[in-house]
Structure formats: C-alpha cells, structure tokens
Amino acid sequence: MLTVSQVLALLGVPQSTFYRWRQVGKGPRVIKLPNGAVRIRRSEFDRWLSELEECA
C-alpha cells in the first residue's frame, strides 16, 4: 500500500490537489486506517491511472 506522500511524489502534485480530487470524487479510492492515516492500494492507484489514460 502507498502512503499519500508516495502518491504525491509519483504524480508530482501538491497535497492540496490530491485532497481536492478526493473531495470531488476524482482521486483514487483510499483506505482510511483506524489511526486516521490514509493508504492507497497499489492496484487501485494503477487502475485509476489507467482510467485517466483512457479519458485522455
């Protein structure tokens, strides 16, 4: 699983952009852990990127 920081580094976007995408439903699905931390499954991240590729 990827951390938000890892996803931000891979995409090259600021944290505010990532959370805005989440608010409007355009970001990858996340898992919220009991401690409040957010994680993204690598498979979900790859699926989300593939969908973006198809839309371009």
Side-chain angles (χ1 to χ4, degrees):
M1 292 205 288
L2 301 168
T3 64
V4 172
S5 296
Q6 290 170 319
V7 170
L8 297 177
L10 289 168
L11 296 174
V13 298
Q15 185 175 0
S16 59
T17 299
F18 176 79
Y19 283 106
R20 189 171 344 106
W21 289 345
R22 284 195 61 214
Q23 284 181 333
V24 297
K26 296 192 181 235
R29 292 185 310 171
V30 302
I31 298 168
K32 192 165 186 180
L33 301 176
N35 66 358
V38 173
R39 298 288 185 269
I40 300 94
R41 284 190 176 99
R42 183 62 194 218
S43 60
E44 169 59 18
F45 180 73
D46 292 339
R47 181 203 61 77
W48 176 74
L49 280 179
S50 293
E51 284 184 6
L52 292 177
E53 193 173 274
E54 292 171 3
C55 292

